[in-house]
Amino acid sequence: MATRVGTVAFFEIVRAKDAVNARMDTSNWQVFLENLERTPAPERICSHRSDSFIGQAVRSGGLLHLLVGRIGTSELQTVDLDHGHIEDIRLEGNKGTIDTTTVSFLEYGNIIGILQGKPGSPRAAAIQRWLNSCQIADHEIALWPVIANNVWDKLEKSTAVHSFEFSYRPSPAIAPPDGGGLSTFVRLGDDRYPDHRITLKIEVPRKDGPGPVARLRGQRRLQGDIQSLMSELGYLDGPTGVDRARALVTLPDADGGDSDEALDFIKHHITAKCRVEVNSGSARPRYEANVSAIMQVARERQLDLRAAVSADR
């Protein structure tokens, strides 16, 4: 039996267009997955740019989980290691290749755990688009990275946002976020500098800058752009993605005053390396090993996950 190393990343399902009250009451996502089981295949496919994605509900450990796959267009080949012959794989009927990501819904806090099958498998941004195409809720949803140390709450409650520093390596194989603001800079960077490491720093001047009204407007705009970009962290997360995302904000303290605090989105994003058992000769579906790895990490990090989304119950 072989093993591969993967990374489980956790995201929270929130309202996409409600910055004031983004978090939702905990939902029973098993109902959505039960309905998905009965959904015809054409209704489970969505396309974005040149990619098509399909989702399927699968059972493991007494619960339903989700596979989201990027439908492949490339031809696959095999090699005969005894004779050194390279041959094309010829699929019968209306079949194709697919790269899948396993998604497990936790029972609290609207949290999902995501584990990619390979680097080209769907990431959080693609899964978010697919979930919205299936109308998982009666409103548009977004996937926020589950970030410890109350980072999301601190960003929302900050009275001022002074700066944001962001560093990443473009990934030409993965489409960047569609949003405006900082996402636009990321998209332009991907097109213009695909082989570079890009660092962007934005500051709102405290002195010798605009007046108080313009400063407040700039801080609020920066606050919204940070929230939007970080909600797409799944697009950039990984060995060739973002390696720095820090903001300096002002927060009210218990004494009625203010104090500055640095927020680190990467350091506190709850992820974990895991080993996934791979046994090509077993009749056990391959996704079951992924589900086991996700749920094991979720058990190990339960206290951190609950605290990060205020899921005390």
Side-chain angles (χ1 to χ4, degrees), residues 17-167:
K17 297 181 178 180
D18 190 346
V20 177
N21 188 27
R23 283 199 168 129
M24 305 156 43
D25 292 335
T26 300
S27 298
N28 183 0
W29 301 112
Q30 290 295 304
V31 174
F32 163 74
L33 294 171
E34 289 169 0
N35 292 333
L36 188 66
E37 278 190 303
R38 300 186 291 270
T39 302
E43 297 177 25
R44 293 187 277 114
I45 297 175
C46 80
S47 298
H48 180 71
R49 294 177 179 164
S50 60
D51 292 319
S52 292
F53 302 88
I54 186 169
Q56 178 184 350
V58 294
R59 292 187 178 273
S60 180
L63 293 172
L64 285 167
H65 304 266
L66 175 65
L67 298 181
V68 179
R70 183 193 307 271
I71 300 174
T73 57
S74 60
E75 299 295 331
L76 297 181
Q77 296 177 307
T78 61
V79 58
D80 183 331
L81 297 177
D82 291 328
H83 302 94
H85 296 158
I86 298 174
E87 300 176 347
D88 294 336
I89 293 180
R90 303 189 183 279
L91 301 174
E92 298 179 356
N94 189 22
K95 295 183 178 180
T97 60
I98 194 166
D99 296 327
T100 59
T101 294
T102 305
V103 182
S104 292
F105 294 73
L106 305 191
E107 296 179 348
Y108 56 87
N110 297 319
I111 297 175
I112 61 172
I114 293 176
L115 178 58
Q116 289 180 276
K118 58 178 64 175
S121 301
R123 298 192 179 196
I127 293 169
Q128 174 181 307
R129 282 191 293 269
W130 184 86
L131 290 172
N132 279 315
S133 76
C134 293
Q135 298 180 333
I136 187 175
D138 58 4
H139 48 75
E140 186 176 347
I141 62 97
L143 298 182
W144 280 5
V146 178
I147 301 179
N149 202 32
N150 296 319
V151 170
W152 277 121
D153 290 338
K154 289 177 180 178
L155 177 62
E156 289 183 313
K157 294 176 181 177
S158 62
T159 58
V161 180
H162 304 290
S163 66
F164 181 62
E165 186 174 3
F166 180 72
S167 180

Side-chain angles (χ1 to χ4, degrees), residues 141-210:
I141 62 97
L143 298 182
W144 280 5
V146 178
I147 301 179
N149 202 32
N150 296 319
V151 170
W152 277 121
D153 290 338
K154 289 177 180 178
L155 177 62
E156 289 183 313
K157 294 176 181 177
S158 62
T159 58
V161 180
H162 304 290
S163 66
F164 181 62
E165 186 174 3
F166 180 72
S167 180
Y168 77 105
R169 294 175 177 83
S171 182
I174 301 172
D178 291 323
L182 290 171
S183 294
T184 300
F185 286 103
V186 172
R187 188 163 54 251
L188 292 174
D190 273 20
D191 293 338
R192 182 68 176 174
Y193 303 106
D195 304 312
H196 297 66
R197 180 177 184 269
I198 300 172
T199 298
L200 174 69
K201 186 171 183 179
I202 299 176
E203 292 184 280
V204 179
R206 298 196 192 199
K207 298 180 179 180
D208 301 324

